[in-house]
Amino acid sequence: MSRSTRILCAVDFSRPARAAFEHALALSRDRNAELTAVHAIPVSERFNWRARERIAKTAALRAAAEAAGVRLRVTEQHGDPAGVILLHANAGRFDLIVVGTHARMGVERLRTGSIAEQVTQRAKCPVLIVPMSEDRRESLASFRHILCPVDFTRGSEAALGHALQLSMDGSRLTLLHVSRALDPMSASRYAYHFSVPEYARRLQQDAWERLQDVVPLEARTTADIRARVVSGRPATEIVRVASEVDADLIVMGVTSRGVLGRKLIGSTASRVIRSAGRPVLAVPERILERLDADVKPESSARLAA
């Protein structure tokens, strides 16, 4: 995200989309990036419905981009919103997708799903999800305090890499590992020589030590990095700690199966996105696969020598 040069923003002229566009515009200005705004018109609507209103709102986007000195391209397409966003994102090889979320709940969400979640699950590049309820900040292009949940999977490794890059701008970074609360009956099968509380403490100590190991030595001396280990339900604890430390960004990994984290599966990811009340940067695990592919054999040999 910190090196983004091509940013795609989904717009539908709703309140969440306006918040997403403001973030995308600020990031594009800060990073001198090209910005593309994609408006997906649902198939349930006629393409020319409210055409004049769309033209006027598109003109407002162009005016805002011109005032910010950002190169803006606007495109419209009829089709499934998530599908249209992903089609343009993949075709244009974008570095970042920015989407807003309505945080739909109940029957409406079960019926329509969340476009932001659908895009997150299938995207090949990081996705910045901006909530409608987010409090206004002075700078939308930088983050004061970043929270990065770590479960020691490839997905969280990808997220940690982005979180460390962002922290180099002077942000505080808090690494969080959430271990599920132990059931005394199941824990006793493994805690042969310890009481259940002692066993739980040893598990937390192990997680603490692993958190220290995942941070490169250079980052430990140049960035403001904190670590926390808690137990409980992952989504609940992530949202609670984010609020407690007043994080203005949560960076999470997305596994190749398209869910956020190996332990943060299914509804956990959805709950974080819907209830965090702050931007979430979802980083796909496949980014590491591309980085691995870019390492030449001869380069590896020199490093090994």
Side-chain angles (χ1 to χ4, degrees):
M1 178 173 165
S2 59
R3 297 194 300 269
S4 301
T5 57
R6 290 177 58 80
I7 297 175
L8 176 72
C9 181
V11 297
D12 60 7
F13 307 115
S14 62
R15 284 179 58 198
R18 287 199 296 272
F21 182 78
E22 290 176 0
H23 266 274
L25 189 62
L27 290 167
S28 299
R29 178 181 56 206
D30 184 69
R31 293 155 173 75
N32 193 30
E34 296 179 2
L35 176 60
T36 296
V38 173
H39 181 201
I41 302 171
V43 293
S44 58
E45 299 177 8
R46 299 192 311 275
F47 187 78
N48 60 352
W49 189 58
R50 293 185 176 179
R52 292 184 178 179
E53 180 181 349
R54 294 206 315 267
I55 292 173
K57 291 182 176 179
T58 299
L61 297 183
R62 294 186 185 279
E66 183 177 357
V70 172
R71 303 180 299 280
L72 174 66
R73 178 173 177 266
V74 182
T75 182
E76 291 185 330
Q77 184 171 332
H78 213 193
D80 167 66
V84 169
I85 295 167
L86 289 164
L87 176 66
H88 284 272
N90 294 335
R93 299 179 64 84
F94 287 90
D95 304 300
L96 177 69
I97 303 172
V98 184
V99 296
T101 177
H102 293 265
R104 293 188 177 94
M105 301 292 287
V107 175
E108 183 181 7
R109 184 178 177 277
L110 289 174
R111 179 176 60 82
T112 64
S114 166
I115 294 173
E117 291 170 27
Q118 292 178 51
V119 171
T120 298
Q121 291 170 3
R122 296 157 55 191
K124 296 180 180 179
C125 66
V127 181
L128 179 64
I129 305 155
V130 181
M132 180 171 59
S133 60
E134 184 200 7
D135 295 333
R136 298 292 302 174
R137 295 190 289 115
E138 292 182 4
S139 175
L140 300 179
S142 61
F143 302 96
R144 301 182 303 267
H145 198 154
I146 301 166
L147 177 69
C148 181
V150 177
D151 62 3
F152 309 114
T153 62
R154 290 276 288 176
S156 66
E157 182 183 347
L160 177 61
H162 273 68
L164 287 171
Q165 287 181 8
L166 292 170
S167 69
M168 295 304 172
D169 293 335
S171 305
R172 173 180 295 177
L173 172 61
T174 296
L175 306 182
L176 173 67
H177 177 75
V178 183
S179 59
R180 292 190 179 275
L182 287 176
D183 173 63
M185 295 301 295
S186 62
S188 63
R189 295 199 303 269
Y190 307 99
Y192 299 112
H193 305 294
F194 311 105
S195 66
V196 171
E198 175 65 15
Y199 182 62
R201 283 194 293 271
R202 285 178 175 264
L203 289 179
Q204 290 204 339
Q205 180 63 32
D206 177 68
W208 176 266
E209 293 174 356
R210 294 182 69 186
L211 279 180
Q212 312 303 312
D213 292 339
V214 298
V215 179
L217 181 60
E218 180 182 358
R220 299 179 199 178
T221 58
T222 59
D224 184 2
I225 303 176
R226 315 291 173 89
R228 294 187 63 170
V229 178
V230 299
S231 62
R233 295 180 179 273
T236 301
E237 292 304 309
I238 291 169
V239 173
R240 181 186 67 80
V241 173
S243 177
E244 185 177 303
V245 302
D246 194 24
D248 45 21
L249 179 68
I250 301 174
V251 183
M252 302 181 71
V254 182
T255 72
S256 57
R257 293 191 304 274
V259 292
L260 295 174
R262 184 177 177 182
K263 295 182 179 178
L264 313 177
I265 60 175
S267 60
T268 299
S270 301
R271 287 171 184 166
V272 171
I273 292 173
R274 294 198 309 269
S275 61
R278 62 201 75 231
V280 175
L281 179 66
V283 183
E285 178 187 45
R286 58 177 59 94
I287 282 182
L288 291 179
E289 298 171 2
R290 292 205 302 268
L291 291 176
D292 291 343
D294 289 339
V295 177
K296 306 294 185 183
E298 58 268 27
S299 298
S300 300
R302 286 197 298 270
L303 290 171

